[in-house]
Amino acid sequence: MKRQLVFIPVASDELGMFAGKPPVVDRTAYAVTPELLRELEYGEDEIEDAEHAAMVLASVAGLATHGERVVVVAEVDSAHVSPGVDPLNGQIVLAQCPPSAMISWFSEEPGVDVADAAAIAKGLTIDQAWAQPQVQELLENHDLLWNDKVEYQGGH
């Protein structure tokens, strides 16, 4: 079984997926796709950089969809991954993701105000949101914090 690292943009109230509620079924996520590697001109020796890029792209998708940057990281059976509508940005569709496959999540540092970026990004594509100055300011000045899944206990 081949494994693939995926980045799932979620709303913070969906972190219950670490306990299976809600279940992850047919969910838009992001990963290192061949198209993403070509688009960002990453070589095979730059997979870690490409994974970071996929996580950041997932965070922008989360900002546009959920109004916040929360990204669950999982290592799934690649058989559960199919192409999404935006493969240049690493978009995939995740057929399923059991809680046991979830490793960690990234979230905003406490006190970071994302309201302006979230308002301007709402409903936009990744490329449209990426082009917004408020989103760029957020990305340039505020890295997401990594959280181990053991830190999730029914609410973080």
Side-chain angles (χ1 to χ4, degrees), residues 8-14 17 27-28 58-71 114 118 121-123:
I8 311 164
V10 303
S12 55
D13 64 2
E14 292 182 292
M17 66 178 49
R27 183 84 183 225
T28 297
S59 80
V60 172
L63 193 63
T65 305
H66 305 293
E68 58 186 332
R69 297 190 305 160
V70 180
V71 178
V114 301
K122 184 164 182 59

Side-chain angles (χ1 to χ4, degrees), residues 6 27 43 57 69 93-94 101 105 116 118-119 141 153:
V6 297
R27 183 84 183 225
L57 290 163
R69 297 190 305 160
V93 175
L94 189 54
W105 83 93
D116 288 346
N141 296 308
Q153 306 195 358

Side-chain angles (χ1 to χ4, degrees), residues 23-145:
V24 177
V25 179
D26 296 327
R27 183 84 183 225
T28 297
Y30 295 81
V32 176
T33 61
E35 296 88 353
L36 177 81
L37 289 172
R38 281 194 301 277
E39 179 71 10
L40 299 180
E41 299 179 352
Y42 283 123
E44 290 298 323
D45 60 335
E46 298 173 295
I47 295 300
E48 270 190 37
D49 291 336
E51 289 171 347
H52 182 263
M55 187 276 295
V56 171
L57 290 163
S59 80
V60 172
L63 193 63
T65 305
H66 305 293
E68 58 186 332
R69 297 190 305 160
V70 180
V71 178
V72 171
V73 182
E75 192 171 16
V76 301
D77 180 341
S78 59
H80 298 302
V81 173
S82 58
V85 297
D86 188 7
L88 293 178
N89 282 320
Q91 189 184 79
I92 58 154
V93 175
L94 189 54
Q96 63 181 11
C97 180
S100 61
M102 297 174 197
I103 301 167
S104 61
W105 83 93
F106 287 89
S107 60
E108 212 67 69
E109 187 174 336
V112 173
D113 183 2
V114 301
D116 288 346
I120 199 92
K122 184 164 182 59
L124 298 180
T125 66
I126 287 177
D127 291 335
Q128 291 167 335
W130 191 274
Q132 302 304 313
Q134 297 88 337
V135 173
Q136 279 301 306
E137 190 277 331
L138 183 64
L139 294 173
E140 290 170 12
N141 296 308
H142 302 286
D143 290 332
L144 294 176
L145 299 179

